[in-house]
Amino acid sequence: MIRFALRLTLSGGREAATRLLVIATAVALGVGMLLATLAGMNAVDAQNQRYGWLNTAAAPASPDPSADGLWWMIREDFHSGRPIGRVEVGSSGPDAPVPPGIPRLPGPGEFYVSPALADLLRAAPAAELGDRFPGREVGTIGPAALPSPDSLLIVIGRTPADLERLGAQRVSQIMTTSPSDCRSGCYVGINRDGMALVLSVVAVALLFPVLVFIGTATRLAATRREQRFAAMRLIGATPRQITVISAVESTVAAAAGTLAGFGVFLAVRPGLAAIPFTGERFFTADLSLTLADVLLVAVGIPLGAVVASWLALRRVQISPLGVSRRVTPKPPRAWRLVPLVVGVAELTYFVGRRPPTTNGQLTAYLSGFLLILVGLLLAGPWLTMVTARLLAARAGRPATLIAARRLSDNPRAGFRSVSGLIVALFVTSVATGTITTYIANRGEPPTDSVAATSLSKWFRPEDGPPPTAAQIPAALATVPGVRSVTLVHRNPDPHGWQGVITCAELDRLQVYGSCPPGARVASVTDDLVGMRAFDLTTDTYVWEAADLDPADIDRQPILSVVVDTTDRAAFERARTILVDAFPTGRFPASTAEWASSSARVFTQFQQLANVVTLASLPIAGCSLAMSVAGGLSDRRRPFSLLRLTGVRLRTLRRVVALETVAPLLLVAAVAIAMGFLAAHLFLRAQLGYPLLAPGPSYYLLVAGGLLASLGIVASTLPLLRRVTGPESARNE
């Protein structure tokens, strides 16, 4: 029987070959996406493991008390907005531990750099970057220590005395624990649990349209298959033999698709590695698969295809006389709304009750989003049924009545043809609504704002005595492109901002705001920007007045030096001068550079949303076209009989169009509305912001997707004339 089933599958004519090809293509897409998702999660783990050594400051003491130690210091520098990891080390003995990626510890006056930073050092003028690093380059840092090919890292050698003066600490071993498993002090790395949860949601969002595509392909020409199975039963085939034939057909297609899916994954792996899911792209080798991953996909996908094939025929009961009989399914119940309601209730609950930890927030919000998404998929057939019944009650034309009655009879099939779109529309609405609102309230300042053009160096008390005015480098004011060099003094009043400046100085500078009327001294932040970096709608920001005589300001310790520039070259030159003059503490940076870290997370989510949208819409469109074309093929005889009885062709076209357009528009409206509601609840719970309307690009994307879907439906309607001719009405 298996040999017979293989012959039918491989030599069954054009129809069988087309069906085999379509199913194999759908399975290949699904396998490729599934493998990419599994490899992506493995890549996050691999990348996070290589972040581990950067947390050496939190490494436990070596079990060998006689081991030589290492002086260690890590700080963050910037160049053109890109962060640079600056590690400074000094040996306290010949057997001091060596970080990964380098053959030995650099001596005083030596440093190792990552390949990306080496390229940057060669491209940028020394006064803008290279002069910050004392010594000479003696080699490059290997991939074992680089989280990403684009990582900007430098390991600088210094004497223990220099490092002790800079505030370094002594460690006895290099940290090897992944940041995800480090319980205290590890601040460099990725939140693996949170990223895995995000990637899981992305996996569901990508795989669901593919599963719909596979299911639609499996049902292709279902009526013709049922008739063939009925004929087999008539000549003596048993139900078990029919099941074997169906299983072999599905297994062959799934096996071919699975094999092709591995090829798809290998082909797209270099492109996937270039997508910065975690903020930095992966090494291609990071996107690897474990043996368990390979076995799970290689065995699970064909098995799932067999189950899908069986489910596709579960409504068909074939009697011993060879009669194929369809069973009308039970109507969907209102309980399908429960997950949707629970998801909305969960997000509503956390408004005003934000979880205190990052993992808690990710779990709470993403699980709420996932519940809403699952709820939409479950509630879709019920909503389709309700809409169809309302449409039937108000039908004024035969086409509307026929379409509504067919949708009401089998709402699951009607919803299934458009369900692939619901994921793309929901994810896009959530991401766009959230990111639009965040950027409007706390986005990265524009490059021409004072938050981006102004550089500040903050002198913390723990870094030692602050400098005097005479110790501020005079070269700062001579750099071409530097507009002003301003000293902010420490505010003796603990109830105001931490710095003070005279109102006369603020008026002279103009770009840093102004004083209240009548005030002579203003209470300001150390960077003269503060929270106005996120609300730079005007340059007339008014600071609080400080109860201090202007003559007393110069007697207060210097809190910071702020340099305003007109171009990027002047900005970086000023930064280099400040780094060389004040090597202790945090390096100088702009408020925009600090703000970019939080904005980068939302940019990552937007990238993921774009991937979901761009991948889901074409696949959902293919499913829609296949569903409509398959439905026409299955109903060619009933439609032919209707034409013979006088029903016009345009009436039949209206029936087919309404059966697809009604659930399509319903799905679009509900998915978009629930996406915006979920985004609003998240924003209120996490950030306290109300949802703002997205920009025109969102509406163009949605309108384009819907118009493309309607175009796909329209492109299948000409088939009606060809498949409903008089010859199709004969008994076969």
Side-chain angles (χ1 to χ4, degrees), residues 15 19 22-23 26 210-226 246 249-250 304-305 307-316 326 410 412-417 419 623 626-635:
E15 180 180 305
R19 184 171 179 276
V22 170
I23 295 177
V210 176
L211 293 177
V212 172
F213 187 25
I214 294 175
T216 303
T218 303
R219 294 176 177 85
L220 191 64
T223 300
R224 307 277 290 182
R225 294 178 70 215
E226 293 161 15
S246 176
E249 288 181 341
S250 300
V307 174
S309 175
W310 176 79
L311 291 176
L313 298 175
R314 69 189 185 281
R315 294 178 55 214
V316 180
R326 285 189 176 274
N410 190 6
R412 293 181 181 85
F415 173 75
R416 188 186 304 121
S417 63
S419 58
S623 299
M626 190 178 300
S627 177
V628 175
L632 292 178
S633 176
D634 290 342
R635 289 181 286 166

Side-chain angles (χ1 to χ4, degrees), residues 12-272:
R14 180 182 299 176
E15 180 180 305
T18 301
R19 184 171 179 276
L20 179 65
L21 178 62
V22 170
I23 295 177
T25 302
V27 172
L29 287 173
V31 169
M33 289 187 177
L34 179 58
L35 292 175
T37 302
L38 294 173
M41 293 182 179
N42 294 337
V44 170
D45 286 338
Q47 188 179 77
N48 213 23
Q49 187 67 44
R50 290 195 299 275
Y51 273 113
W53 73 278
L54 297 173
N55 292 300
T56 292
S62 172
D64 183 5
S66 62
D68 291 331
L70 174 72
W71 286 93
W72 171 275
M73 188 175 194
I74 180 171
R75 289 176 290 178
E76 186 176 33
D77 197 356
F78 290 93
H79 182 272
S80 297
R82 297 180 63 188
I84 300 174
R86 177 167 170 161
V87 180
E88 298 176 75
V89 296
S91 172
S92 61
D95 296 324
V98 178
I102 56 177
R104 61 176 179 84
L105 285 176
E110 298 177 339
F111 58 78
Y112 290 92
V113 293
S114 63
L117 183 54
D119 294 340
L120 187 58
L121 285 172
R122 286 190 290 269
E128 296 179 20
L129 181 61
D131 289 347
R132 302 179 202 172
F133 309 126
R136 60 186 179 87
E137 179 183 335
V138 294
T140 57
I141 302 173
L146 300 178
S148 165
D150 299 327
S151 296
L152 301 180
L153 283 172
I154 183 168
V155 180
I156 302 172
R158 286 187 180 270
T159 64
D162 287 342
L163 287 170
E164 187 174 11
R165 186 169 58 254
L166 291 175
Q169 67 183 95
R170 194 172 184 274
V171 298
S172 55
Q173 63 178 349
I174 300 296
M175 174 68 86
T176 57
T177 304
S178 169
S180 299
D181 301 323
C182 178
R183 299 306 174 196
S184 62
C186 293
Y187 59 91
V188 182
I190 307 166
N191 186 329
R192 183 188 63 186
D193 295 336
M195 185 57 66
L197 190 57
V198 171
L199 289 177
S200 298
V201 174
V202 172
V204 172
L206 286 173
L207 288 176
F208 181 78
V210 176
L211 293 177
V212 172
F213 187 25
I214 294 175
T216 303
T218 303
R219 294 176 177 85
L220 191 64
T223 300
R224 307 277 290 182
R225 294 178 70 215
E226 293 161 15
Q227 293 172 353
R228 186 178 65 189
F229 290 158
M232 291 180 183
R233 288 285 283 125
L234 186 62
I235 61 175
T238 65
R240 182 177 179 181
Q241 290 172 326
I242 297 297
T243 301
V244 170
I245 293 174
S246 176
V248 169
E249 288 181 341
S250 300
T251 302
V252 170
T258 300
L259 183 61
F262 278 91
V264 170
F265 165 69
L266 293 176
V268 303
R269 189 169 71 154
L272 290 174

Side-chain angles (χ1 to χ4, degrees), residues 361-375:
Q361 293 166 11
L362 287 168
T363 303
Y365 301 139
L366 289 179
S367 61
F369 291 148
L370 191 59
L371 274 173
I372 293 176
L373 181 57
V374 172

Side-chain angles (χ1 to χ4, degrees), residues 501-512:
I501 189 173
T502 65
C503 294
E505 181 73 358
L506 278 181
D507 292 340
R508 183 184 68 81
L509 296 171
Q510 296 182 349
V511 297
Y512 292 115

Side-chain angles (χ1 to χ4, degrees), residues 475-485 562-567 570-571 573-574:
L476 284 173
T478 64
V479 173
V482 169
R483 282 187 291 208
S484 64
V485 179
V562 181
V563 182
D564 190 27
T565 61
T566 59
D567 56 68
F571 186 95
R573 286 174 182 268

